[in-house]
Amino acid sequence: VILLDLPGFFLVLGSMAPTTIALIWGLRRAGVALRAASALHPFEHRLIPYLGMALLGLVVILTQLAFLLREFMPDTELLDQSMGALTSSTAGILFVVVLGPFLEELLFRGLILRGFLLNYSWLKGLVLSSLVFAGFHVMPSQLLPTFVVGLFVGWLYIRTRSLWPSVLVHWFYNGLLVFLQLSGGSETEPSEKPETIPSAVVLGAVMALVLALWRIQRLPEAGTARRSRKTRRGSRHLIE
């Protein structure tokens, strides 16, 4: 992996441009300050282990789904090539793992989901923002995984009223994808790659995900140690 080459530099800029432009335009259009959209409030730190558990379960489930749908998705080779090009330099890896997810969370949770919650129920806002998030990634093979991830990180944003849990999950999710990309790499022939994940592993992943979601739901909201707990009455009370 090299630090940065000229084609890699333009590839990173080209990948970053749509999210950045959409974020700037959306903030100006909505008249929302970046500070309000960022919502980087403190959250319950006991949440972190359960975020990791949920994320691992989610990655296993989505990977299995990708194996099952691979033959029906003609763009999977193009997706692999795009990811390979981005992860061929250190700057590209930093964009995919750190900067890209942070910008996307500002846009899709901090701005778009925030706006939907002001006008719709939390469930409708969550689904709509996740659909926009999935559609933004364009490639058919990415639609379902990004929609599911969007539902999860959007629910975390609603549950914690902070963007940090969503950012952390997005960072580690993309980090795992990059790790799998680099570790699989070109050393493994397509015929040697596993075509499925053992059922016991998938079942364990489902149980881990359900358990993690249950535990996250039971944890107190961020800031309850410093202020009285308030009953959430409608979507406007889900945002600080």
Side-chain angles (χ1 to χ4, degrees):
V1 178
I2 59 176
L3 179 61
L4 184 65
D5 56 6
L6 193 58
F9 174 74
F10 286 113
L11 184 59
V12 170
L13 282 184
S15 301
M16 188 170 59
T19 308
T20 306
I21 293 170
L23 178 61
I24 294 172
W25 180 85
L27 289 171
R28 290 176 62 87
R29 178 85 176 179
V32 177
L34 180 61
R35 184 176 180 181
S38 61
L40 297 172
H41 309 307
F43 67 98
E44 176 59 63
H45 289 170
R46 287 181 295 169
L47 188 72
I48 294 176
Y50 302 114
L51 291 180
M53 184 188 302
L55 180 59
L56 288 174
L58 199 59
V59 168
V60 171
I61 294 168
L62 292 179
T63 301
Q64 173 72 339
L65 188 61
F67 284 143
L68 296 175
L69 296 178
R70 193 172 182 87
E71 60 180 297
F72 304 106
M73 298 295 180
D75 66 329
T76 50
E77 259 188 56
L78 179 59
L79 180 60
D80 290 342
Q81 291 171 3
S82 302
M83 180 66 80
L86 275 173
T87 56
S88 62
S89 69
T90 302
I93 292 174
L94 289 176
F95 170 74
V96 172
V97 177
V98 181
L99 182 58
F102 187 75
L103 290 173
E104 287 186 359
E105 289 310 311
L106 284 177
L107 174 61
F108 293 103
R109 259 58 67 178
L111 181 63
I112 294 176
L113 177 56
R114 180 182 186 276
F116 282 150
L117 291 175
L118 292 172
N119 297 282
Y120 305 111
S121 68
W122 71 268
L123 182 58
K124 187 174 182 179
L126 176 61
V127 172
L128 287 175
S129 66
S130 301
L131 285 172
V132 175
F133 178 57
F136 190 80
H137 288 78
V138 180
M139 292 187 179
S141 60
Q142 285 187 296
L143 293 180
L144 185 57
T146 49
F147 175 70
V148 173
V149 171
L151 287 176
F152 180 48
V153 294
W155 176 74
L156 287 174
Y157 174 70
I158 294 171
R159 180 72 184 88
T160 64
R161 294 176 291 173
S162 172
L163 206 62
W164 275 124
S166 302
V167 170
L168 288 174
V169 167
H170 207 152
W171 276 345
F172 284 106
Y173 179 78
N174 281 24
L176 281 172
L177 294 183
V178 169
F179 172 77
L180 292 173
Q181 173 76 22
L182 294 178
S183 61
S186 57
E187 297 177 2
T188 306
E189 295 296 328
S191 58
E192 297 173 356
K193 293 182 180 180
E195 295 182 355
T196 187
I197 298 174
S199 300
V201 176
V202 177
L203 179 60
V206 172
M207 293 175 63
L209 178 60
V210 171
L211 177 60
L213 294 179
W214 177 70
R215 289 298 300 168
I216 291 170
Q217 180 64 35
R218 288 177 59 86
L219 285 174
E221 297 176 14
T224 52
R226 297 189 303 273
R227 64 178 180 268
S228 60
R229 190 182 186 94
K230 296 180 180 179
T231 304
R232 288 176 291 175
R233 299 174 182 175
S235 298
R236 293 181 182 271
H237 298 286
L238 297 175
I239 305 170
E240 289 188 344

